PDB file of all heavy atoms in Angstrom:
ATOM      1  N   ALA A1542    -106.871 -16.207 -50.287  1.00 85.00           N
ATOM      2  CA  ALA A1542    -107.026 -17.661 -49.784  1.00 85.00           C
ATOM      3  C   ALA A1542    -108.258 -17.715 -48.921  1.00 85.00           C
ATOM      4  O   ALA A1542    -109.059 -18.728 -48.988  1.00 85.00           O
ATOM      5  CB  ALA A1542    -105.814 -17.993 -48.852  1.00 85.00           C
ATOM      6  N   LEU A1543    -108.590 -16.684 -48.120  1.00 87.00           N
ATOM      7  CA  LEU A1543    -109.841 -16.689 -47.284  1.00 87.00           C
ATOM      8  C   LEU A1543    -111.048 -16.647 -48.155  1.00 87.00           C
ATOM      9  O   LEU A1543    -112.010 -17.363 -47.910  1.00 87.00           O
ATOM     10  CB  LEU A1543    -109.788 -15.534 -46.357  1.00 87.00           C
ATOM     11  CG  LEU A1543    -111.007 -15.341 -45.420  1.00 87.00           C
ATOM     12  CD1 LEU A1543    -111.078 -16.576 -44.520  1.00 87.00           C
ATOM     13  CD2 LEU A1543    -110.902 -14.113 -44.653  1.00 87.00           C
ATOM     14  N   GLN A1544    -111.004 -15.912 -49.210  1.00 87.00           N
ATOM     15  CA  GLN A1544    -112.112 -15.822 -50.203  1.00 87.00           C
ATOM     16  C   GLN A1544    -112.320 -17.170 -50.866  1.00 87.00           C
ATOM     17  O   GLN A1544    -113.494 -17.672 -51.060  1.00 87.00           O
ATOM     18  CB  GLN A1544    -111.871 -14.719 -51.216  1.00 87.00           C
ATOM     19  CG  GLN A1544    -111.793 -13.322 -50.682  1.00 87.00           C
ATOM     20  CD  GLN A1544    -113.113 -12.452 -50.972  1.00 87.00           C
ATOM     21  OE1 GLN A1544    -114.025 -13.020 -51.504  1.00 87.00           O
ATOM     22  NE2 GLN A1544    -113.102 -11.317 -50.456  1.00 87.00           N
ATOM     23  N   ARG A1545    -111.287 -17.788 -51.268  1.00 87.00           N
ATOM     24  CA  ARG A1545    -111.406 -19.136 -51.928  1.00 87.00           C
ATOM     25  C   ARG A1545    -111.959 -20.149 -50.962  1.00 87.00           C
ATOM     26  O   ARG A1545    -112.849 -20.960 -51.333  1.00 87.00           O
ATOM     27  CB  ARG A1545    -110.073 -19.623 -52.444  1.00 87.00           C
ATOM     28  CG  ARG A1545    -109.542 -18.777 -53.647  1.00 87.00           C
ATOM     29  CD  ARG A1545    -108.404 -19.519 -54.365  1.00 87.00           C
ATOM     30  NE  ARG A1545    -107.219 -19.624 -53.456  1.00 87.00           N
ATOM     31  CZ  ARG A1545    -106.272 -18.758 -53.363  1.00 87.00           C
ATOM     32  NH1 ARG A1545    -106.333 -17.672 -54.126  1.00 87.00           N
ATOM     33  NH2 ARG A1545    -105.259 -18.927 -52.565  1.00 87.00           N
ATOM     34  N   ALA A1546    -111.462 -20.181 -49.751  1.00 87.00           N
ATOM     35  CA  ALA A1546    -111.958 -21.104 -48.757  1.00 87.00           C
ATOM     36  C   ALA A1546    -113.394 -20.956 -48.388  1.00 87.00           C
ATOM     37  O   ALA A1546    -114.199 -21.860 -48.191  1.00 87.00           O
ATOM     38  CB  ALA A1546    -111.096 -20.977 -47.453  1.00 87.00           C
ATOM     39  N   ALA A1547    -113.805 -19.602 -48.346  1.00 89.00           N
ATOM     40  CA  ALA A1547    -115.219 -19.355 -48.006  1.00 89.00           C
ATOM     41  C   ALA A1547    -116.160 -19.767 -49.208  1.00 89.00           C
ATOM     42  O   ALA A1547    -117.259 -20.283 -49.004  1.00 89.00           O
ATOM     43  CB  ALA A1547    -115.441 -17.844 -47.816  1.00 89.00           C
ATOM     44  N   ARG A1548    -115.634 -19.720 -50.388  1.00 88.00           N
ATOM     45  CA  ARG A1548    -116.453 -20.141 -51.543  1.00 88.00           C
ATOM     46  C   ARG A1548    -116.685 -21.627 -51.590  1.00 88.00           C
ATOM     47  O   ARG A1548    -117.712 -22.043 -51.989  1.00 88.00           O
ATOM     48  CB  ARG A1548    -115.718 -19.660 -52.849  1.00 88.00           C
ATOM     49  CG  ARG A1548    -116.515 -19.981 -54.065  1.00 88.00           C
ATOM     50  CD  ARG A1548    -115.805 -19.462 -55.361  1.00 88.00           C
ATOM     51  NE  ARG A1548    -114.621 -20.196 -55.726  1.00 88.00           N
ATOM     52  CZ  ARG A1548    -113.341 -19.719 -55.580  1.00 88.00           C
ATOM     53  NH1 ARG A1548    -113.214 -18.403 -55.169  1.00 88.00           N
ATOM     54  NH2 ARG A1548    -112.372 -20.388 -55.918  1.00 88.00           N
ATOM     55  N   VAL A1549    -115.670 -22.385 -51.144  1.00 90.00           N
ATOM     56  CA  VAL A1549    -115.833 -23.919 -51.228  1.00 90.00           C
ATOM     57  C   VAL A1549    -116.149 -24.446 -49.823  1.00 90.00           C
ATOM     58  O   VAL A1549    -116.141 -25.631 -49.565  1.00 90.00           O
ATOM     59  CB  VAL A1549    -114.599 -24.527 -51.735  1.00 90.00           C
ATOM     60  CG1 VAL A1549    -114.349 -24.022 -53.239  1.00 90.00           C
ATOM     61  CG2 VAL A1549    -113.357 -24.203 -50.939  1.00 90.00           C
ATOM     62  N   ASP A1550    -116.361 -23.590 -48.786  1.00 88.00           N
ATOM     63  CA  ASP A1550    -116.738 -24.032 -47.489  1.00 88.00           C
ATOM     64  C   ASP A1550    -115.614 -24.847 -46.834  1.00 88.00           C
ATOM     65  O   ASP A1550    -115.874 -25.783 -46.097  1.00 88.00           O
ATOM     66  CB  ASP A1550    -118.018 -24.832 -47.478  1.00 88.00           C
ATOM     67  CG  ASP A1550    -118.838 -24.791 -46.227  1.00 88.00           C
ATOM     68  OD1 ASP A1550    -118.609 -23.761 -45.446  1.00 88.00           O
ATOM     69  OD2 ASP A1550    -119.585 -25.767 -45.885  1.00 88.00           O
ATOM     70  N   ASP A1551    -114.309 -24.402 -47.096  1.00 90.00           N
ATOM     71  CA  ASP A1551    -113.197 -25.122 -46.515  1.00 90.00           C
ATOM     72  C   ASP A1551    -112.945 -24.490 -45.143  1.00 90.00           C
ATOM     73  O   ASP A1551    -112.174 -23.565 -45.004  1.00 90.00           O
ATOM     74  CB  ASP A1551    -111.948 -24.970 -47.412  1.00 90.00           C
ATOM     75  CG  ASP A1551    -110.827 -25.746 -46.932  1.00 90.00           C
ATOM     76  OD1 ASP A1551    -110.788 -26.198 -45.757  1.00 90.00           O
ATOM     77  OD2 ASP A1551    -109.841 -26.010 -47.723  1.00 90.00           O
ATOM     78  N   VAL A1552    -113.575 -25.068 -44.138  1.00 90.00           N
ATOM     79  CA  VAL A1552    -113.535 -24.474 -42.762  1.00 90.00           C
ATOM     80  C   VAL A1552    -112.130 -24.468 -42.191  1.00 90.00           C
ATOM     81  O   VAL A1552    -111.640 -23.488 -41.546  1.00 90.00           O
ATOM     82  CB  VAL A1552    -114.502 -25.270 -41.805  1.00 90.00           C
ATOM     83  CG1 VAL A1552    -114.316 -24.804 -40.398  1.00 90.00           C
ATOM     84  CG2 VAL A1552    -115.912 -25.135 -42.291  1.00 90.00           C
ATOM     85  N   HIS A1553    -111.436 -25.557 -42.459  1.00 92.00           N
ATOM     86  CA  HIS A1553    -110.049 -25.631 -41.929  1.00 92.00           C
ATOM     87  C   HIS A1553    -109.150 -24.539 -42.551  1.00 92.00           C
ATOM     88  O   HIS A1553    -108.351 -23.896 -41.802  1.00 92.00           O
ATOM     89  CB  HIS A1553    -109.458 -27.024 -42.236  1.00 92.00           C
ATOM     90  CG  HIS A1553    -107.977 -27.126 -41.788  1.00 92.00           C
ATOM     91  ND1 HIS A1553    -107.611 -27.295 -40.451  1.00 92.00           N
ATOM     92  CD2 HIS A1553    -106.860 -27.077 -42.525  1.00 92.00           C
ATOM     93  CE1 HIS A1553    -106.241 -27.306 -40.379  1.00 92.00           C
ATOM     94  NE2 HIS A1553    -105.815 -27.266 -41.666  1.00 92.00           N
ATOM     95  N   ALA A1554    -109.215 -24.351 -43.790  1.00 87.00           N
ATOM     96  CA  ALA A1554    -108.406 -23.277 -44.465  1.00 87.00           C
ATOM     97  C   ALA A1554    -108.793 -21.910 -43.986  1.00 87.00           C
ATOM     98  O   ALA A1554    -107.932 -21.096 -43.819  1.00 87.00           O
ATOM     99  CB  ALA A1554    -108.588 -23.423 -45.968  1.00 87.00           C
ATOM    100  N   MET A1555    -110.128 -21.708 -43.729  1.00 88.00           N
ATOM    101  CA  MET A1555    -110.536 -20.368 -43.269  1.00 88.00           C
ATOM    102  C   MET A1555    -109.941 -20.116 -41.949  1.00 88.00           C
ATOM    103  O   MET A1555    -109.403 -18.990 -41.639  1.00 88.00           O
ATOM    104  CB  MET A1555    -112.056 -20.319 -43.215  1.00 88.00           C
ATOM    105  CG  MET A1555    -112.758 -20.336 -44.605  1.00 88.00           C
ATOM    106  SD  MET A1555    -114.520 -20.371 -44.432  1.00 88.00           S
ATOM    107  CE  MET A1555    -114.855 -18.859 -43.555  1.00 88.00           C
ATOM    108  N   LYS A1556    -110.029 -21.082 -41.054  1.00 90.00           N
ATOM    109  CA  LYS A1556    -109.482 -20.868 -39.651  1.00 90.00           C
ATOM    110  C   LYS A1556    -107.977 -20.634 -39.731  1.00 90.00           C
ATOM    111  O   LYS A1556    -107.464 -19.752 -39.028  1.00 90.00           O
ATOM    112  CB  LYS A1556    -109.788 -22.033 -38.859  1.00 90.00           C
ATOM    113  CG  LYS A1556    -111.262 -22.170 -38.461  1.00 90.00           C
ATOM    114  CD  LYS A1556    -111.516 -23.405 -37.553  1.00 90.00           C
ATOM    115  CE  LYS A1556    -113.023 -23.621 -37.162  1.00 90.00           C
ATOM    116  NZ  LYS A1556    -113.249 -24.860 -36.358  1.00 90.00           N
ATOM    117  N   ALA A1575    -115.313 -12.069 -47.770  1.00 91.00           N
ATOM    118  CA  ALA A1575    -115.438 -13.467 -47.636  1.00 91.00           C
ATOM    119  C   ALA A1575    -116.979 -13.767 -47.347  1.00 91.00           C
ATOM    120  O   ALA A1575    -117.514 -14.858 -47.782  1.00 91.00           O
ATOM    121  CB  ALA A1575    -114.566 -14.057 -46.724  1.00 91.00           C
ATOM    122  N   ARG A1578    -119.148 -13.793 -50.351  1.00 92.00           N
ATOM    123  CA  ARG A1578    -118.915 -15.028 -51.168  1.00 92.00           C
ATOM    124  C   ARG A1578    -119.552 -16.295 -50.520  1.00 92.00           C
ATOM    125  O   ARG A1578    -120.214 -17.054 -51.225  1.00 92.00           O
ATOM    126  CB  ARG A1578    -117.411 -15.207 -51.339  1.00 92.00           C
ATOM    127  CG  ARG A1578    -117.010 -16.136 -52.486  1.00 92.00           C
ATOM    128  CD  ARG A1578    -115.664 -16.086 -52.794  1.00 92.00           C
ATOM    129  NE  ARG A1578    -115.203 -14.719 -53.293  1.00 92.00           N
ATOM    130  CZ  ARG A1578    -115.436 -14.305 -54.548  1.00 92.00           C
ATOM    131  NH1 ARG A1578    -116.127 -14.952 -55.363  1.00 92.00           N
ATOM    132  NH2 ARG A1578    -115.081 -13.097 -54.920  1.00 92.00           N
ATOM    133  N   ALA A1579    -119.357 -16.416 -49.166  1.00 92.00           N
ATOM    134  CA  ALA A1579    -119.970 -17.539 -48.489  1.00 92.00           C
ATOM    135  C   ALA A1579    -121.482 -17.517 -48.628  1.00 92.00           C
ATOM    136  O   ALA A1579    -122.178 -18.533 -48.801  1.00 92.00           O
ATOM    137  CB  ALA A1579    -119.510 -17.607 -47.075  1.00 92.00           C
ATOM    138  N   ALA A1580    -122.061 -16.305 -48.475  1.00 93.00           N
ATOM    139  CA  ALA A1580    -123.515 -16.152 -48.472  1.00 93.00           C
ATOM    140  C   ALA A1580    -124.073 -16.428 -49.846  1.00 93.00           C
ATOM    141  O   ALA A1580    -125.081 -17.144 -50.022  1.00 93.00           O
ATOM    142  CB  ALA A1580    -123.935 -14.759 -48.089  1.00 93.00           C
ATOM    143  N   LYS A1582    -122.741 -18.393 -52.081  1.00 92.00           N
ATOM    144  CA  LYS A1582    -122.604 -19.891 -52.297  1.00 92.00           C
ATOM    145  C   LYS A1582    -123.441 -20.665 -51.347  1.00 92.00           C
ATOM    146  O   LYS A1582    -123.543 -21.955 -51.537  1.00 92.00           O
ATOM    147  CB  LYS A1582    -121.113 -20.237 -52.189  1.00 92.00           C
ATOM    148  CG  LYS A1582    -120.305 -19.702 -53.344  1.00 92.00           C
ATOM    149  CD  LYS A1582    -120.663 -20.298 -54.658  1.00 92.00           C
ATOM    150  CE  LYS A1582    -119.800 -19.918 -55.810  1.00 92.00           C
ATOM    151  NZ  LYS A1582    -120.047 -20.524 -57.062  1.00 92.00           N
ATOM    152  N   GLY A1583    -124.016 -20.132 -50.332  1.00 93.00           N
ATOM    153  CA  GLY A1583    -124.918 -20.760 -49.402  1.00 93.00           C
ATOM    154  C   GLY A1583    -124.090 -21.641 -48.440  1.00 93.00           C
ATOM    155  O   GLY A1583    -124.636 -22.609 -47.979  1.00 93.00           O
ATOM    156  N   LYS A1584    -122.912 -21.306 -48.173  1.00 92.00           N
ATOM    157  CA  LYS A1584    -122.047 -22.052 -47.240  1.00 92.00           C
ATOM    158  C   LYS A1584    -122.241 -21.604 -45.766  1.00 92.00           C
ATOM    159  O   LYS A1584    -121.656 -20.673 -45.182  1.00 92.00           O
ATOM    160  CB  LYS A1584    -120.560 -21.871 -47.636  1.00 92.00           C
ATOM    161  CG  LYS A1584    -120.283 -22.176 -49.139  1.00 92.00           C
ATOM    162  CD  LYS A1584    -120.661 -23.529 -49.476  1.00 92.00           C
ATOM    163  CE  LYS A1584    -120.338 -23.827 -50.941  1.00 92.00           C
ATOM    164  NZ  LYS A1584    -120.726 -25.227 -51.315  1.00 92.00           N
ATOM    165  N   ILE A1585    -123.224 -22.217 -45.080  1.00 92.00           N
ATOM    166  CA  ILE A1585    -123.708 -21.750 -43.846  1.00 92.00           C
ATOM    167  C   ILE A1585    -122.660 -21.876 -42.803  1.00 92.00           C
ATOM    168  O   ILE A1585    -122.515 -20.975 -41.866  1.00 92.00           O
ATOM    169  CB  ILE A1585    -124.951 -22.478 -43.392  1.00 92.00           C
ATOM    170  CG1 ILE A1585    -125.644 -21.751 -42.275  1.00 92.00           C
ATOM    171  CG2 ILE A1585    -124.755 -23.927 -43.107  1.00 92.00           C
ATOM    172  CD1 ILE A1585    -127.117 -22.159 -42.104  1.00 92.00           C
ATOM    173  N   GLU A1586    -121.829 -22.922 -42.804  1.00 92.00           N
ATOM    174  CA  GLU A1586    -120.825 -23.053 -41.756  1.00 92.00           C
ATOM    175  C   GLU A1586    -119.763 -21.971 -41.929  1.00 92.00           C
ATOM    176  O   GLU A1586    -119.267 -21.406 -40.917  1.00 92.00           O
ATOM    177  CB  GLU A1586    -120.149 -24.448 -41.799  1.00 92.00           C
ATOM    178  CG  GLU A1586    -119.196 -24.734 -40.686  1.00 92.00           C
ATOM    179  CD  GLU A1586    -118.766 -26.224 -40.652  1.00 92.00           C
ATOM    180  OE1 GLU A1586    -119.110 -26.975 -41.594  1.00 92.00           O
ATOM    181  OE2 GLU A1586    -117.993 -26.519 -39.695  1.00 92.00           O
ATOM    182  N   SER A1587    -119.385 -21.685 -43.202  1.00 92.00           N
ATOM    183  CA  SER A1587    -118.484 -20.604 -43.447  1.00 92.00           C
ATOM    184  C   SER A1587    -118.984 -19.286 -42.944  1.00 92.00           C
ATOM    185  O   SER A1587    -118.222 -18.476 -42.365  1.00 92.00           O
ATOM    186  CB  SER A1587    -118.099 -20.530 -44.930  1.00 92.00           C
ATOM    187  OG  SER A1587    -117.403 -21.700 -45.264  1.00 92.00           O
ATOM    188  N   VAL A1588    -120.286 -19.104 -43.195  1.00 93.00           N
ATOM    189  CA  VAL A1588    -120.948 -17.790 -42.739  1.00 93.00           C
ATOM    190  C   VAL A1588    -120.780 -17.677 -41.207  1.00 93.00           C
ATOM    191  O   VAL A1588    -120.450 -16.638 -40.707  1.00 93.00           O
ATOM    192  CB  VAL A1588    -122.436 -17.798 -43.153  1.00 93.00           C
ATOM    193  CG1 VAL A1588    -123.158 -16.611 -42.419  1.00 93.00           C
ATOM    194  CG2 VAL A1588    -122.541 -17.585 -44.680  1.00 93.00           C
ATOM    195  N   ASN A1589    -121.083 -18.810 -40.498  1.00 93.00           N
ATOM    196  CA  ASN A1589    -121.063 -18.672 -39.011  1.00 93.00           C
ATOM    197  C   ASN A1589    -119.576 -18.446 -38.571  1.00 93.00           C
ATOM    198  O   ASN A1589    -119.360 -17.595 -37.596  1.00 93.00           O
ATOM    199  CB  ASN A1589    -121.559 -20.045 -38.518  1.00 93.00           C
ATOM    200  CG  ASN A1589    -123.017 -20.077 -38.416  1.00 93.00           C
ATOM    201  OD1 ASN A1589    -123.678 -19.072 -38.065  1.00 93.00           O
ATOM    202  ND2 ASN A1589    -123.617 -21.234 -38.769  1.00 93.00           N
ATOM    203  N   ILE A1590    -118.581 -19.082 -39.146  1.00 92.00           N
ATOM    204  CA  ILE A1590    -117.183 -18.790 -38.734  1.00 92.00           C
ATOM    205  C   ILE A1590    -116.778 -17.419 -38.967  1.00 92.00           C
ATOM    206  O   ILE A1590    -116.226 -16.781 -38.162  1.00 92.00           O
ATOM    207  CB  ILE A1590    -116.268 -19.855 -39.461  1.00 92.00           C
ATOM    208  CG1 ILE A1590    -116.445 -21.261 -38.989  1.00 92.00           C
ATOM    209  CG2 ILE A1590    -114.812 -19.353 -39.372  1.00 92.00           C
ATOM    210  CD1 ILE A1590    -115.664 -22.309 -39.826  1.00 92.00           C
ATOM    211  N   LEU A1591    -117.195 -16.950 -40.104  1.00 93.00           N
ATOM    212  CA  LEU A1591    -116.844 -15.437 -40.416  1.00 93.00           C
ATOM    213  C   LEU A1591    -117.555 -14.489 -39.499  1.00 93.00           C
ATOM    214  O   LEU A1591    -116.873 -13.584 -38.940  1.00 93.00           O
ATOM    215  CB  LEU A1591    -117.193 -15.202 -41.881  1.00 93.00           C
ATOM    216  CG  LEU A1591    -116.393 -15.915 -42.960  1.00 93.00           C
ATOM    217  CD1 LEU A1591    -117.076 -15.745 -44.303  1.00 93.00           C
ATOM    218  CD2 LEU A1591    -114.984 -15.365 -42.998  1.00 93.00           C
ATOM    219  N   VAL A1620    -129.162 -19.443 -44.965  1.00 93.00           N
ATOM    220  CA  VAL A1620    -128.072 -18.484 -44.852  1.00 93.00           C
ATOM    221  C   VAL A1620    -128.709 -17.019 -44.610  1.00 93.00           C
ATOM    222  O   VAL A1620    -128.263 -16.290 -43.596  1.00 93.00           O
ATOM    223  CB  VAL A1620    -127.185 -18.384 -46.063  1.00 93.00           C
ATOM    224  CG1 VAL A1620    -126.283 -17.155 -46.056  1.00 93.00           C
ATOM    225  CG2 VAL A1620    -126.346 -19.597 -46.189  1.00 93.00           C
TER     226      VAL A1620
END
Side-chain angles (χ1 to χ4, degrees):
L1543 182 62
Q1544 295 258 357
R1545 288 193 298 270
R1548 186 175 67 247
V1549 299
D1550 209 26
D1551 187 341
V1552 174
H1553 176 75
M1555 290 177 63
K1556 290 180 178 178
R1578 199 166 294 283
K1582 290 293 184 179
K1584 307 301 183 181
I1585 194 164
E1586 188 172 3
S1587 293
V1588 167
N1589 280 318
I1590 289 174
L1591 293 167
V1620 170

